[in-house]
Amino acid sequence: MNTEVGISLRDAIPFIPELVIICTGLIAMMLDLVVRKKGPVAAFVVFGTLVAGYAMCKLNGFNEPQSAFLNMFILDGYAGFFKLIFFINLILTVCISYRYMIIEKSSYGEYYSLLTFATAGMMVMASATDLITLYLGLELMALSTYILAGLMRNDRRSNEAALKYFFLGAFSSAFLLYGISLTYGMTGTTNLNEISATIQNLNIAGNPILFLGLIFIMTAFAFKIALAPFHMWAPDVYEGAPTSVTAFMSVGPKAAGFAVLGRVLFEAFGSMQVQWTNILIPLALLTMAVGSIVALSQTNIKRMLAYSSVAHASYMLLGVIAGTPAGLVSTINYLLIYTFMNIGAFAIVILLRSEGFQGQDLDDYRGLAKSNPLAAALMLVFMFSLTGIPPTAGFIGKFYVFMELINADKTYLAVIAVAFSAISAFFYLRVVMYMYMKDSDEPRTISCSPSMNVALAVTALMVIVLGIYPEPVLNYVKTVVFG
Amino acid sequence: MVPLSWYIILSAVLFCIGVFGFLARRNMIVMFISIELMLNAVNISLVAFSHYLQQVTGQILVFFVITVAAAEAAIGLAILIAYYKNNPTVKADDASLMKG
């Protein structure tokens, strides 16, 4: 037994972005005690995130992967790109939530700290090359988001959302642990690369217990990225949680779930690809069907967007199912695009929320084009993008995923996915129809703020730019992720 | 000497009892206890594997699991209390404000 511990301070270098984010969260918590208004706290969190992003680019992990802590942690292009998505997610969420949390009378400073801690957890997940780090990152993210979901303490729906999220989240992480324990028992290691090597050396790819472990691990991730039939919590939690938190967790935990799913399946269980592809295909088809069809009957816009995000998870999964590095690149590209369009759509939902007016029902969107043409036009862009209509970014995302599926000889899946995405057009375009073709005589106030305007401008611009001229970003993803 | 398989079977049985308790019982405190049972079932199997393989990795993971379970209990019970203040019930079926 090797008792020598070989961790030095040098190991902390690839970990600097996480350290910066964690310190930002801690200082934000302290700052909250000193200042009464929450503006400085929010601004500080944005500043800290920018510093972390700068530090990550300086470390240059994109070109030369650096591992640390006895190969339990790695900063490479794959992790780095996911971290960029998390930073974008965090900054946009802070921008859209400042005014909203005041309206909801839940403007606590802890809100911003918890957002940063959840982001730190996601970053650790994206960088984890060991099942132990993976588990710790996942729990840091999950525990922070449970609290965020229940932040509106006096709102019964928020209480219920936090409760449901907590119970199902804790249930799924127990499954993850059981899967880890079985995998550890069969391979004798928790390191992803060593697991892969052991599976090949001992030739145990067909071992039923190892397969059971893989199934348990995948079940836990299916919970996190809300794949049917493990999506039950998503609509309730998305509806009950504060809208800004919904925006945050419809992107962040999903992206983090895909980051670990890609790494675990490709790195550790690469030799069992046939088995996990056979599990993922029915899951993806079921998710697509549930997401697109159940969303048709929703009248609450947050609930509709929840089912829409369930459906989008299945399109992203198709890139993983393609089973090639190019397929994984198309998934990551889709995630980046999804970040902008989904946060943009939730930003409009937040825009409609004002004192004494919930603005969550489809009926509240009646005649928005007359009263607030700009807000309606932006919502139009986001809805078109979520549907996948060119020239918006959503089209590019879907296009590349489907192309990689066809390249991998899974054309039938691409055909089914196109059919379901045509069905989903109905509920996205219904929002557009309500805004542009129905009239309402109620006066409507919109809760604008400078930071909200910035977030809306950035998301709308990115959705259009990525839709018209996607090559630079696509090539960047390709080179960054796979050299 | 107790063979490895006994420990693994014990852990599997405990895990299944936990899953059953979570799915079948409607009292939220009992559901919470069931989750703790599942986590501890995992701990048994991790320690057994770790001893069998003569490694410490599994036991290190157990320490992390115990720590995280404590944090999870603190947050879970806090959420439960926040819920109870507005809806004085511990029945899971009553938490049905949102559905569809």
Side-chain angles (χ1 to χ4, degrees):
Chain A
M1 209 183 294
N2 186 7
T3 49
E4 202 176 316
V5 178
I7 293 180
S8 71
L9 205 57
R10 287 181 65 84
D11 277 329
I13 292 172
F15 196 62
I16 286 176
E18 278 83 356
L19 284 178
V20 172
I21 284 286
I22 291 169
C23 289
T24 306
L26 291 173
I27 296 174
M29 205 185 262
M30 294 294 141
L31 201 62
D32 174 45
L33 299 174
V34 187
V35 294
R36 173 147 348 130
K37 287 217 166 175
K38 304 306 166 207
V41 183
F44 180 75
V45 166
V46 172
F47 170 73
T49 316
L50 291 174
V51 171
Y54 175 75
M56 195 179 70
C57 295
K58 269 282 165 200
L59 284 171
N60 204 10
F62 293 123
N63 298 324
E64 18 186 304
Q66 302 155 27
S67 61
F69 302 118
L70 308 169
N71 289 325
M72 292 180 91
F73 183 93
I74 193 166
L75 178 63
D76 57 0
Y78 180 79
F81 199 80
F82 272 104
K83 285 179 196 179
L84 279 185
I85 294 182
F86 302 147
F87 292 153
I88 294 170
N89 181 30
L90 177 59
I91 292 180
L92 288 177
T93 308
V94 171
C95 286
I96 61 175
S97 49
Y98 178 60
R99 177 82 197 276
Y100 172 75
M101 292 318 272
I102 294 173
I103 292 175
E104 293 287 2
K105 297 189 179 57
S106 301
S107 183
Y108 311 112
E110 290 86 353
Y111 171 73
Y112 300 102
S113 317
L114 285 167
L115 284 178
T116 40
F117 291 143
T119 305
M122 294 171 202
M123 291 164 73
V124 173
M125 279 169 83
S127 277
T129 49
D130 192 291
L131 294 173
I132 298 180
T133 9
L134 189 160
Y135 170 70
L136 287 177
L138 186 125
E139 285 296 333
L140 177 55
M141 174 193 84
L143 293 177
S144 311
T145 33
Y146 300 150
I147 307 175
L148 283 171
L151 210 68
M152 301 190 302
R153 273 182 308 192
N154 297 320
D155 183 284
R156 290 179 58 201
R157 291 196 300 174
S158 180
N159 296 149
E160 194 177 310
L163 199 70
K164 287 179 174 168
Y165 197 21
F166 168 74
F167 271 116
L168 289 174
F171 188 60
S172 77
S173 62
F175 272 93
L176 174 71
L177 273 175
Y178 201 64
I180 290 177
S181 135
L182 290 179
T183 311
Y184 169 65
M186 288 301 110
T187 59
T189 172
T190 50
N191 187 294
L192 297 186
N193 285 320
E194 286 173 27
I195 288 174
S196 155
T198 319
I199 291 175
Q200 271 165 3
N201 291 342
L202 301 179
N203 200 12
I204 50 171
N207 184 312
I209 296 184
L210 186 65
F211 185 50
L212 194 65
L214 176 63
I215 290 179
F216 276 129
I217 292 180
M218 279 167 67
T219 308
F221 294 150
F223 262 109
K224 284 284 167 249
I225 53 187
L227 295 179
F230 310 108
H231 70 289
M232 289 309 192
W233 58 272
D236 288 356
V237 175
Y238 282 28
E239 185 188 340
T243 312
S244 55
V245 174
T246 310
F248 180 76
M249 70 188 180
S250 69
V251 173
K254 212 177 271 272
F258 272 103
V260 281
L261 193 69
R263 216 191 268 280
V264 168
L265 291 185
F266 282 88
E267 252 180 50
F269 293 100
S271 46
M272 295 168 78
Q273 193 171 3
V274 182
Q275 281 116 308
W276 56 253
T277 312
N278 285 341
I279 302 174
L280 287 181
I281 289 176
L283 274 185
L285 291 176
L286 186 65
T287 309
M288 238 178 257
V290 168
S292 320
I293 293 169
V294 183
L296 297 175
S297 63
Q298 301 303 327
T299 52
N300 180 307
I301 200 104
K302 276 166 85 178
R303 230 178 150 75
M304 188 206 92
L305 285 172
Y307 279 107
S308 123
S309 87
V310 169
H312 279 284
S314 73
Y315 300 132
M316 294 170 206
L317 195 64
L318 291 177
V320 179
I321 289 174
T324 52
L328 203 54
V329 167
S330 73
T331 296
I332 297 171
N333 177 47
Y334 198 120
L335 268 167
L336 178 71
I337 290 168
Y338 171 81
T339 306
F340 290 113
M341 61 190 184
N342 215 40
I343 292 190
F346 277 112
I348 302 285
V349 179
I350 288 178
L351 209 56
L352 256 68
R353 169 84 169 104
S354 50
E355 316 268 354
F357 182 69
Q358 285 289 339
Q360 287 183 11
D361 272 335
L362 202 52
D363 276 334
D364 297 336
Y365 286 77
R366 268 171 200 277
L368 190 67
K370 280 227 180 75
S371 55
N372 302 87
L374 188 61
L378 287 171
M379 193 61 164
L380 175 87
V381 170
F382 297 130
M383 286 295 132
F384 273 19
S385 182
L386 285 167
T387 321
I389 296 173
T392 52
F395 169 73
I396 299 295
K398 278 190 180 146
F399 177 77
Y400 279 96
V401 168
F402 295 162
M403 200 174 74
E404 290 309 330
L405 267 183
I406 292 168
N407 287 344
D409 279 337
K410 295 195 173 69
T411 315
Y412 69 100
L413 273 177
V415 172
I416 298 172
V418 170
F420 276 118
S421 100
I423 294 175
S424 70
F426 173 79
F427 58 84
Y428 292 126
L429 298 185
R430 186 170 54 184
V431 178
V432 175
M433 196 262 288
Y434 268 73
M435 290 190 305
Y436 280 88
M437 295 171 196
K438 296 212 172 184
D439 280 327
S440 155
D441 35 308
E442 292 167 41
R444 192 177 281 111
T445 48
I446 266 191
S447 43
C448 262
S449 67
S451 62
M452 172 64 113
N453 295 347
V454 170
L456 275 173
V458 169
T459 46
L461 195 70
M462 288 307 283
V463 163
I464 292 168
V465 168
L466 285 176
I468 294 171
Y469 189 48
E471 272 82 14
V473 176
L474 266 172
N475 290 335
Y476 183 67
V477 179
K478 253 177 220 156
T479 49
V480 151
V481 176
F482 291 102
Chain B
M1 177 75 184
V2 185
L4 173 71
S5 58
W6 289 23
Y7 289 109
I8 303 308
I9 291 168
L10 171 69
S11 124
V13 168
L14 279 179
F15 191 82
C16 290
I17 293 174
V19 173
F20 178 78
F22 183 83
L23 297 174
R25 296 297 293 268
R26 293 272 113 324
N27 183 318
M28 291 197 274
I29 305 287
V30 178
M31 286 165 73
F32 188 69
I33 296 170
S34 301
I35 290 175
E36 295 294 313
L37 189 64
M38 289 163 75
L39 291 180
N40 285 314
V42 172
N43 285 348
I44 291 178
S45 76
L46 277 173
V47 172
F49 278 133
S50 165
H51 182 72
Y52 175 76
L53 295 161
Q54 290 294 304
Q55 283 180 348
V56 285
T57 320
Q59 292 174 41
I60 291 171
L61 181 51
V62 168
F63 280 117
F64 282 121
V65 173
I66 293 171
T67 318
V68 170
E72 210 166 58
I75 287 170
L77 292 175
I79 288 174
L80 206 58
I81 289 170
Y83 176 82
Y84 190 80
K85 272 187 182 157
N86 294 327
N87 318 260
T89 169
V90 287
K91 286 210 187 91
D93 292 333
D94 293 343
S96 58
L97 215 54
M98 298 170 288
K99 50 177 124 172

